[in-house]
Amino acid sequence: MIYLPAANAVMAEAPHPRIRGRAIGVFQTASSIGMALFPLTLGLLDSRTPWLLWLIATCVFVAAAWAWREAVRGLPQRVRVAELTDVDA
């Protein structure tokens, strides 16, 4: 609920218009697969080695933060920073 609106907005602006549909499709598919498999994987690890659960979760979150930073870096300023004109009055 927190990151999906921002991620979808970035995905709508980031790719070239010729491949925008395909890029958004791949992004949505990868997101769905990750949302389905991550809890299952963590649940299996929690029952055997709890410390490994926290290590993997930490690595995934750090990698996601780094990937987000790198993805947003190449975007135009209008996408990176919301402006007052973006809000419906």
Side-chain angles (χ1 to χ4, degrees), residues 1-12 22-40 60 64 67-68:
M1 291 173 52
I2 293 173
Y3 85 93
L4 276 177
N8 287 329
V10 168
M11 280 308 302
R22 184 180 310 152
I24 292 172
V26 168
F27 171 74
Q28 292 293 338
T29 302
S31 296
S32 298
I33 290 171
M35 282 189 248
L37 293 181
F38 195 66
L40 172 66
V60 166
W68 179 261

Side-chain angles (χ1 to χ4, degrees), residues 50-72:
W51 63 269
L52 189 58
L53 164 78
W54 291 106
L55 178 66
I56 290 174
T58 302
C59 291
V60 166
F61 289 125
V62 168
W66 176 81
W68 179 261
R69 191 176 127 249
E70 291 301 312
V72 172

Side-chain angles (χ1 to χ4, degrees), residues 63-82:
W66 176 81
W68 179 261
R69 191 176 127 249
E70 291 301 312
V72 172
R73 180 185 299 186
L75 294 175
Q77 184 67 18
R78 66 182 175 79
V79 177
R80 287 189 272 162
V81 179

Side-chain angles (χ1 to χ4, degrees), residues 39-57:
L40 172 66
T41 305
L42 292 181
L44 291 173
L45 290 173
D46 187 37
S47 62
R48 295 191 178 108
T49 52
W51 63 269
L52 189 58
L53 164 78
W54 291 106
L55 178 66
I56 290 174

